Amino acid sequence: MHCRKCPRSAVIKMPRHNTALCKDCFTEFVRTQVRRAIASHRMFTADDRILVAVSGGKDSLALWSILLQLGYRADALYVNLGIGDYSVQSRQKVQRFTDTVAAPYRVTLHIHTIEQEQGAGIRELATLVRRPTCAACGTMKRYQFNRVAVERDYDVMATGHNLDDEAARLLGNVLHWQTDYLDKQAPVLPASLDGFAKKVKPLHRLTEREIAAYALLHRIDYIVDECPMAKGSKLLAYKHALNQLEMESPGTKQNFYLQFLERRAASPDAHHTMAEQDRQHLHPCTACGQPTSAEVCSYCRMMARARAEAGAPAH
Ligand code: Q46
Ligand code: ZN
């Protein structure tokens, strides 16, 4: 099988683009998709300081590596969730990547360890506050990423969400007509008010398979196992369903998600409305100062409940 762009041998077949590419042409394809995402959604510029949320998985490490190679100033934050062996291994992968691939760029890796600061891992914390682990984890990660981005003065926070993640989330939101979530599902969430970091998803045009191939071809050593708490999640079921459709009809995922974005962008004042809504509904949490629509943010409520349940004095 030959590369469709040059005489070399192809290393990957890409049915959704009806093509096959060699390592160099595929690398260029991946970088072009990222550049396109950054430019068309005005995610950041070469002067901006970016904080990449890394988990040790292929998406976030590939994202960090691509941004550095494209010449962006990108540091990273790793939140250690304290989930047994999974967290031990993912922490090692992140550290190794920082010490090897990222080292020449003189980056900073920030680490937040939940067990150290909260006295328990995310599973124990979730049990204490009687919430599903992934819900508690989502609240925790959102809070810590936003806090570090704002406190350390980063211009923007980047996550490794890919096309499969976004299409699966869109499918879930559509199936349940979660219109509030649909409004918020964008590759860019603006820093609508003080205390809120701008959030971007530069990999949203690339599939999970393409990113895995990129990581493999560029010898990015990542944790292959999913977080054990992801087992049985709805999102995985939606991804599976979309993969079935994609096999039958290549391009389905991309059409579904990218056309959703195009249609929404065509509706007047889409982003303005989102920022405006935030300004109207959000104000500083009375406990920590981060933006929230309630008096006290969900993170502070969760931690207050954990302290109460553990019998420690709330503060
Ligand atoms: S890390 Fe956290 Fe995910 Fe693990 S506990 Fe659930 S939400 S599955 S992206
Ligand atoms: Zn708070």
Side-chain angles (χ1 to χ4, degrees), residues 5-282:
K5 296 204 162 180
C6 78
R8 280 180 291 236
S9 301
V11 292
I12 182 167
K13 235 176 151 174
M14 298 160 70
R16 76 175 173 120
H17 293 290
N18 192 23
T19 193
L21 299 174
C22 70
K23 181 181 171 185
D24 287 356
C25 293
F26 176 67
T27 300
E28 191 42 40
F29 161 82
V30 168
R31 291 181 187 163
T32 301
Q33 294 300 321
V34 174
R35 275 195 219 104
R36 216 170 135 184
I38 296 168
S40 61
H41 293 278
R42 296 201 189 104
M43 292 185 172
F44 40 75
T45 67
D47 296 329
D48 286 333
R49 286 178 70 234
I50 304 160
L51 182 67
V52 183
V54 290
S55 66
K58 62 182 181 322
D59 304 293
S60 55
L61 291 183
L63 172 62
W64 196 11
S65 135
I66 294 166
L67 292 182
L68 290 173
Q69 278 158 8
L70 291 178
Y72 289 106
R73 301 195 293 163
D75 289 340
L77 169 66
Y78 170 74
V79 173
N80 189 335
L81 300 165
I83 303 180
D85 200 38
Y86 167 76
S87 290
V88 173
Q89 278 193 42
S90 59
R91 164 88 170 77
Q92 281 170 357
K93 300 287 183 192
V94 169
Q95 194 62 56
R96 198 168 305 151
F97 183 93
T98 309
D99 296 341
T100 55
V101 181
Y105 300 94
R106 297 218 219 113
V107 297
T108 301
L109 170 67
H110 304 277
I111 296 179
H112 177 87
T113 303
I114 292 182
E115 267 169 334
Q116 242 165 42
E117 308 237 343
Q118 271 76 34
I122 197 68
R123 285 179 300 192
E124 295 77 14
L125 201 67
T127 309
L128 207 58
V129 298
R130 293 187 206 98
R131 285 185 73 191
T133 306
C134 289
C137 179
T139 300
M140 174 66 74
K141 285 196 293 195
R142 265 192 305 279
Y143 178 87
Q144 296 300 344
F145 286 138
N146 192 64
R147 179 186 64 80
V148 174
V150 171
E151 281 179 10
R152 307 276 176 141
D153 230 6
Y154 285 95
D155 297 289
V156 57
M157 205 196 97
T159 57
H161 293 97
N162 58 43
L163 181 58
D164 293 51
D165 296 323
E166 294 306 293
R169 203 172 138 204
L170 178 60
L171 181 60
N173 288 338
V174 169
L175 287 176
H176 299 101
W177 288 119
Q178 311 249 42
T179 45
D180 280 8
Y181 290 132
L182 278 177
D183 285 348
K184 290 259 172 194
Q185 197 181 347
V188 174
L189 291 178
S192 44
L193 68 173
D194 270 358
F196 230 174
K198 178 178 179 180
K199 298 179 182 78
V200 299
K201 298 171 181 171
L203 298 185
H204 74 272
R205 304 182 60 89
L206 291 159
T207 64
E208 206 157 295
R209 178 174 167 268
E210 288 157 2
I211 296 165
Y214 183 91
L216 206 74
L217 290 168
H218 291 272
R219 298 174 190 274
I220 294 174
D221 181 18
Y222 63 90
I223 181 159
V224 177
D225 294 337
E226 294 255 8
C227 169
M229 308 314 290
K231 243 184 228 141
S233 92
K234 283 258 169 56
L235 214 61
L236 285 185
Y238 299 146
K239 278 188 182 178
H240 184 68
L242 285 166
N243 280 337
Q244 295 286 114
L245 292 170
E246 183 76 21
M247 258 187 349
E248 300 274 332
S249 159
T252 301
K253 261 183 248 178
Q254 135 189 352
N255 286 346
F256 181 48
Y257 181 60
L258 296 183
Q259 284 195 21
F260 159 73
L261 293 183
E262 274 170 30
R263 272 150 210 259
R264 206 192 29 201
S267 78
D269 295 337
H271 285 280
H272 169 75
T273 314
M274 204 154 70
E276 203 39 56
Q277 273 176 5
D278 275 0
R279 266 190 287 276
Q280 282 170 10
H281 297 297
L282 299 179

Side-chain angles (χ1 to χ4, degrees), residues 143 285-290 292 295-301:
Y143 178 87
C285 162
T286 52
C288 73
Q290 280 205 25
T292 173
E295 197 186 329
V296 176
C297 76
S298 56
Y299 172 83
C300 288
R301 272 181 283 147

